[in-house]
Amino acid sequence: MIKPELLAPAGDLEKLKIAILYGADAVYIGGKQFSLRSSASNFALEDIEQGVIFAHQHQAKVYVVVNIIFHNEDLAGLKEYLQALEKIKVDGIICADVIVVKYLNQYAPSLPIHISTQQSITNSYAIKFYEKLNATRIVLARETTYAELKLLKEKSNLELEYFVHGAMCVAYSGRCMLSNYYSKRDSNRGGCSQSCRWNYNLYHENKGQLEKINTDDCYFTMSSKDLSLALELPKLIDLGISSLKIEGRMKSIYYLATIVSTYRQIIDQYSQQGYYDERLLANLSKAANRAVNDGFFNNEMNVAKQLYQNRDEHPTKEFIGYVLAYENKMIKLEQRNYFEKGDHVELFGPNNVFYSFVIDKMYDEDLNEITIARHPQQIIYLPFENEIVQHSMLRKII
């Protein structure tokens, strides 16, 4: 059994480090140009270089996303950018436009070419087409079913990458034009305003505006539930999919730590012993704020997999502290959400060690005893007998 790569998103350098420390084998990032997540912090070239150094020190890889659909005016600086990435020694380029493939072959030939999910590849003929253009990996369309995956694996000589967790697009990935029309922000050039998640009034051509959908005074929306294939990981591992991808370059460090560490443990346990502890699945809900489903994996999409009439978003307040250090049998942490003495909490970290306890004493930065932590990024000390590693996180048990 070949263990698949666990590929995580990183919107900035801090998130890159957290993703790798919590178990990602590779991360994908966007630069300041040519990336579909233009509203993420993203990476200047010097940040990419730092990220590559950090990743390689931890035996991890960095893939850079260059996945916009190019108009002529977008081409300025592309050649130089790719050559700079080659010099930095990133581990691959994720691209959607054949002009990037051409430029990579011509100007930065040492960089592996990964074809983005933006190409919506669902058949072996498209894979063979890109194989002739020296692509090394195909990021399959999220619309690819498990039955299709098996066929593609049989017929493909390239690495196959498949999304296993995160947000889904209401259209074929990246091919929606709602954002262009409603906000003049091009979804295919990094500006998607997620118009499918807006609240809409409904109108009938004869009856005028319809009443609100339900008693909660909810407007109509049209986005998909999020994807989660944690239960299906054994099938994907057995099939030999090369890379399992988590979506979310805009997500928080807490989200990344929770999701990445959970998938890391599932992959490792199943690869080593042929099964995994299903109690791990409960951790996923501690970071998610939208309902999830299995997407197209087992069958076609249907109404039950959509968020029609309901946004169903519940931002979590469980993440309450980020561990900066362990000093003199005290946890030094940075407050992230309100908590107080008496709260039942859980510590988890990059080493997958979990501690559950009740806060009975807490101190401020000057070591004055306090009962409430209410100020964002306030420095808090908690007495604790066991040494805690840096970058661990504290969350409430609700």
Side-chain angles (χ1 to χ4, degrees):
M1 179 185 295
I2 299 176
K3 188 186 295 187
E5 171 187 89
L6 178 59
L7 177 56
D12 57 35
L13 195 55
E14 179 188 31
K15 294 174 184 178
L16 178 149
K17 293 178 179 179
I18 289 295
I20 291 171
L21 289 171
Y22 275 82
D25 298 304
V27 294
Y28 61 100
I29 66 176
K32 295 293 186 181
Q33 306 176 79
F34 315 124
S35 166
L36 279 182
R37 287 293 179 267
S38 60
S39 50
S41 298
N42 289 324
F43 290 71
L45 283 172
E46 54 267 30
D47 295 326
I48 295 176
E49 185 170 15
Q50 288 185 49
V52 168
I53 291 170
F54 180 87
H56 291 176
Q57 287 173 342
H58 292 78
Q59 293 73 53
K61 296 180 178 181
V62 176
Y63 307 134
V64 177
V65 175
V66 186
N67 62 344
I68 67 169
I69 302 301
F70 283 77
H71 294 228
N72 279 345
E73 62 267 26
D74 298 319
L75 292 173
L78 176 61
K79 169 186 170 182
E80 293 76 14
Y81 181 65
L82 296 175
Q83 290 175 326
L85 294 177
E86 183 180 43
K87 185 177 180 180
I88 291 171
K89 296 184 179 179
V90 303
D91 298 284
I93 302 296
I94 303 173
C95 55
D97 199 312
V98 289
I99 189 62
V100 182
V101 176
K102 178 182 178 181
Y103 273 39
L104 285 167
N105 280 313
Q106 189 171 355
Y107 302 118
S110 72
L111 290 178
I113 300 171
H114 298 186
I115 304 302
S116 171
T117 192
Q118 302 301 122
Q119 277 297 314
S120 301
I121 295 175
T122 56
N123 67 81
S124 59
Y125 298 96
I127 294 175
K128 291 184 184 301
F129 170 81
Y130 282 106
E131 183 178 4
K132 292 177 182 177
L133 296 178
N134 298 320
T136 58
R137 178 182 293 187
I138 301 294
V139 188
L140 292 167
R142 303 181 211 207
E143 295 77 23
T144 310
T145 67
Y146 175 60
E148 291 171 327
L149 266 178
K150 290 194 290 185
L151 182 63
L152 295 176
K153 187 67 178 69
E154 291 174 6
K155 292 181 175 292
S156 173
N157 298 317
L158 302 185
E159 295 180 353
L160 299 181
E161 180 177 303
Y162 194 69
F163 278 92
V164 294
H165 199 93
M168 296 280 281
C169 189
V170 72
Y172 267 84
S173 297
R175 300 192 178 201
C176 177
M177 300 297 289
L178 287 177
S179 178
N180 301 59
Y181 284 115
Y182 290 155
S183 60
K184 299 184 184 298
R185 288 169 53 181
D186 191 340
S187 57
N188 292 304
R189 287 199 282 177
C192 182
S193 56
Q194 297 188 326
S195 304
C196 61
R197 298 190 182 186
W198 294 1
N199 292 334
Y200 290 91
N201 291 315
L202 292 183
Y203 292 83
H204 187 280
E205 60 181 346
N206 297 322
K207 298 178 182 179
Q209 184 175 346
L210 301 181
E211 295 181 4
K212 297 293 189 297
I213 300 301
N214 57 36
T215 55
D216 295 325
D217 202 36
C218 184
Y219 293 86
F220 180 79
T221 64
M222 63 185 87
S223 64
S224 165
K225 293 178 181 178
D226 283 0
L227 175 70
S228 179
L229 292 181
L231 283 170
E232 309 293 353
L233 287 192
K235 291 181 180 179
L236 290 164
I237 295 171
D238 290 343
L239 192 56
I241 299 302
S242 298
S243 183
L244 305 179
K245 188 171 192 172
I246 298 169
E247 182 275 339
R249 281 191 281 151
M250 303 289 290
K251 298 293 189 179
S252 69
I253 58 170
Y254 172 68
Y255 178 92
L256 280 175
T258 304
I259 301 301
V260 170
S261 63
T262 302
Y263 275 86
R264 175 78 279 151
Q265 292 176 82
I266 293 173
I267 291 169
D268 288 349
Q269 288 184 15
Y270 183 79
S271 297
Q272 292 164 11
Q273 57 199 28
Y275 63 91
Y276 65 90
D277 186 347
E278 292 192 359
R279 289 176 295 181
L280 289 169
L281 298 172
N283 289 331
L284 298 175
S285 63
K286 296 176 181 179
N289 63 8
R290 285 163 60 88
V292 298
N293 72 105
D294 62 0
F296 288 85
F297 188 79
N298 286 309
N299 50 50
E300 296 299 320
M301 275 287 189
N302 55 41
V303 172
K305 295 183 178 182
Q306 307 300 314
L307 288 177
Y308 296 135
Q309 306 176 0
N310 189 354
R311 291 180 64 87
D312 195 37
E313 295 182 17
H314 309 286
T316 178
K317 296 296 183 184
E318 292 177 338
F319 177 34
I320 57 174
Y322 179 66
V323 175
L324 302 175
Y326 182 78
E327 303 169 347
N328 303 317
K329 293 194 174 183
M330 301 269 278
I331 300 170
K332 180 182 180 181
L333 59 86
E334 183 180 81
Q335 187 262 22
R336 292 300 176 96
N337 275 298
Y338 176 96
F339 66 96
E340 59 188 38
K341 180 179 176 179
D343 280 342
H344 191 191
V345 298
E346 182 179 67
L347 265 169
F348 72 104
N351 53 358
N352 290 325
V353 174
F354 289 75
Y355 294 102
S356 176
F357 61 98
V358 175
I359 297 175
D360 57 3
K361 285 188 177 181
M362 50 194 291
Y363 302 89
D364 66 15
E365 191 170 12
D366 298 319
L367 297 181
N368 299 308
E369 187 168 359
I370 57 176
T371 59
I372 295 173
R374 58 161 58 98
H375 305 297
Q377 297 186 302
Q378 180 181 6
I379 301 300
I380 304 291
Y381 286 91
L382 301 178
F384 203 71
E385 287 297 317
N386 299 302
E387 185 172 358
I388 301 300
V389 299
Q390 187 183 12
H391 308 296
S392 294
M393 300 195 190
L394 187 70
R395 62 187 170 206
K396 285 186 185 179
I397 297 178
I398 304 300

